[in-house]
């Protein structure tokens, strides 16, 4: 029998997936979460498919020791590289962040020109394009890797002239092509949403896969009758955070974007899983 009070496992290469965890907290507040951030091995965006898949398998094994009832891969690169393989091996539901964002973008565009900004790995996998074309075969999908956005976000330069300048350099070609929809295809990017929005201008709709993923998770749990309806059972262990290194830095970052005080982040040796 399914334990509805069991937590949702959420993982990312580091802090970016907190934007997804935050949306899950907002949209399905009765759910418990066990979050793992692979802070010792970040970034994933420049690593190979084999490496990212191996890391993702280890994290899934760790999350299973926490008796999670479902898993969210809150990292675009890991979703692009590892979701399909891991999904076939698991007996609990697992979703990534790419399909939900691709679906909304395919339905949103009016002129058929969709931009995707993400890590080199996600762009190189062409996975957004694949999913978008399954829904909207005529769509033109233009990918742009924006590797400097991740360190800028991690340095807290969310609204800063340096970030404005880098955004202009990365995004000008997408503006010139005339896209009307832009997917924030990296979990860090929702934190610089206002900079990206300002640079692209009002005519471009931004799609935030973090929001769409939480919505899809809620739908999935509802459909499978796995939603936790009983708030009282959540207890002190409502949200648990684990990392592979740098627990204090992680905690500071997490507390700057999530309003529920994050009391602790525990370090585990992920290589053991
Ligand atoms: N979280 C990653 C993603 O969404 C970005 C950071 C990294 O390269 O690991 O693709």
């Amino acid at each position: 029998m399914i334990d509805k009070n069991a937590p949702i496992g959420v993982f990312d290469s580091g802090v970016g997936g907190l934007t997804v965890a935050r949306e899950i907290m907002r949209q399905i507040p009765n759910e418990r979460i066990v979050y793992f951030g692979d802070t010792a091995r970040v970034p994933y965006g420049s690593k190979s498919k084999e490496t990212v898949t191996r890391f993702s398998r280890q994290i899934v094994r760790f999350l299973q020791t926490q008796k999670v009832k479902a898993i969210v891969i809150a990292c675009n690169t890991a979703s692009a590289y590892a979701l399909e393989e891991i999904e076939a091996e698991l007996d609990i539901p697992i979703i990534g962040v790419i399909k939900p964002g691709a679906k909304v973008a395919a339905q949103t565009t009016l002129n058929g020109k969709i931009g995707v900004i993400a890590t080199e790995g996600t762009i190189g996998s062409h996975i957004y394009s694949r999913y978008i074309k399954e829904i909207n075969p005529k769509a033109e999908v233009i990918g742009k890797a924006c590797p400097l956005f991740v360190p800028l976000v991690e340095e807290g330069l969310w609204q800063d002239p340096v970030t404005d300048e880098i955004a202009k350099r990365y995004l000008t070609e997408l503006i010139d092509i005339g896209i009307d929809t832009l997917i924030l295809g990296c979990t860090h990017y929702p934190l610089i949403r206002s900079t990206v929005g300002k640079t692209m201008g009002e005519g471009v709709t931004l799609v935030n896969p973090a929001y769409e993923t939480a919505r899809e998770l809620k739908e999935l749990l509802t459909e499978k009758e796995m939603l936790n309806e009983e708030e009282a059972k959540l207890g002190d262990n409502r949200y648990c955070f684990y990392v592979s290194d740098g627990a204090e830095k992680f905690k500071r970052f997490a507390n700057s974007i999530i309003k529920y005080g994050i009391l602790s982040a525990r370090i585990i040796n992920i290589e053991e899983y």
Side-chain angles (χ1 to χ4, degrees):
M1 218 184 80
I2 297 162
D3 176 7
K4 294 185 181 182
N5 191 45
I8 310 287
V10 178
F11 78 88
D12 177 44
S13 56
V15 293
L18 290 167
T19 60
V20 181
R22 179 174 67 174
E23 284 299 337
I24 297 172
M25 292 169 186
R26 276 185 192 146
Q27 294 186 38
I28 29 182
N30 284 351
E31 295 301 328
R32 293 167 53 207
I33 292 175
V34 176
Y35 183 98
F36 178 78
D38 201 356
T39 43
R41 304 189 293 195
V42 67
Y44 283 7
S46 52
K47 294 191 171 70
S48 69
K49 180 177 190 328
E50 290 65 35
T51 301
V52 173
T53 305
R54 183 169 69 81
F55 290 172
S56 301
R57 276 207 180 92
Q58 287 177 325
I59 299 167
V60 165
R61 283 197 284 266
F62 162 69
L63 290 173
Q64 286 184 298
T65 67
Q66 302 300 299
K67 306 272 181 275
V68 296
K69 64 180 175 185
I71 293 177
V72 177
I73 306 187
C75 171
N76 284 263
T77 312
S79 300
Y81 282 157
L83 174 63
E84 286 172 2
E85 276 183 47
I86 293 178
E87 193 175 20
E89 301 161 2
L90 277 188
D91 55 6
I92 55 169
I94 179 165
I95 62 168
V97 284
I98 293 182
K99 249 189 200 165
K103 192 169 142 194
V104 169
Q107 291 162 349
T108 302
T109 184
L110 294 176
N111 72 2
K113 292 182 182 178
I114 299 171
V116 181
I117 51 173
T119 64
E120 288 164 288
T122 303
I123 296 300
S125 75
H126 300 289
I127 193 157
Y128 270 107
S129 176
R130 211 178 87 205
Y131 286 147
I132 289 169
K133 283 174 191 284
E134 278 173 16
I135 302 167
N136 185 346
K138 288 194 186 137
E140 189 187 337
V141 183
I142 305 103
K144 175 77 187 165
C146 302
L148 288 174
F149 279 165
V150 168
L152 287 169
V153 167
E154 295 205 355
E155 285 303 314
L157 301 172
W158 302 352
Q159 280 172 333
D160 190 277
V162 175
T163 311
D164 290 344
E165 176 58 30
I166 300 294
K168 268 190 215 117
R169 291 206 194 184
Y170 281 146
L171 302 176
T172 299
E173 68 183 73
L174 298 178
I175 297 169
D176 292 346
I177 290 168
I179 61 162
D180 71 352
T181 305
L182 179 63
I183 301 175
L184 305 174
C186 170
T187 47
H188 285 64
Y189 299 175
L191 298 172
I192 50 166
R193 186 191 176 113
S194 64
T195 302
V196 173
K198 192 173 67 184
T199 309
M200 294 307 297
E202 276 182 7
V204 176
T205 305
L206 302 186
V207 174
N208 177 2
Y211 178 84
E212 306 305 337
T213 301
R215 222 171 60 162
E216 186 156 318
L217 177 68
K218 185 176 181 182
E219 270 174 31
L220 178 85
L221 296 178
T222 308
E223 185 190 305
K224 293 193 177 292
E225 298 184 3
M226 290 169 79
L227 264 184
N228 187 21
E229 286 132 10
E230 296 176 48
E231 198 178 345
K233 279 197 199 161
L234 294 169
D236 288 342
N237 293 330
R238 184 173 178 181
Y239 303 132
C240 295
F241 296 86
Y242 295 88
V243 290
S244 44
D245 202 359
E248 276 310 306
K249 193 172 173 203
F250 175 89
K251 213 174 88 178
R252 269 199 307 279
F253 193 94
N255 279 316
S256 73
I257 69 164
I258 291 178
K259 65 177 181 175
Y260 313 91
I262 290 159
L263 302 177
S264 74
R266 273 169 274 180
I267 296 183
I268 58 155
N269 180 2
I270 195 66
E271 296 285 359
E272 280 176 2
Y273 292 88

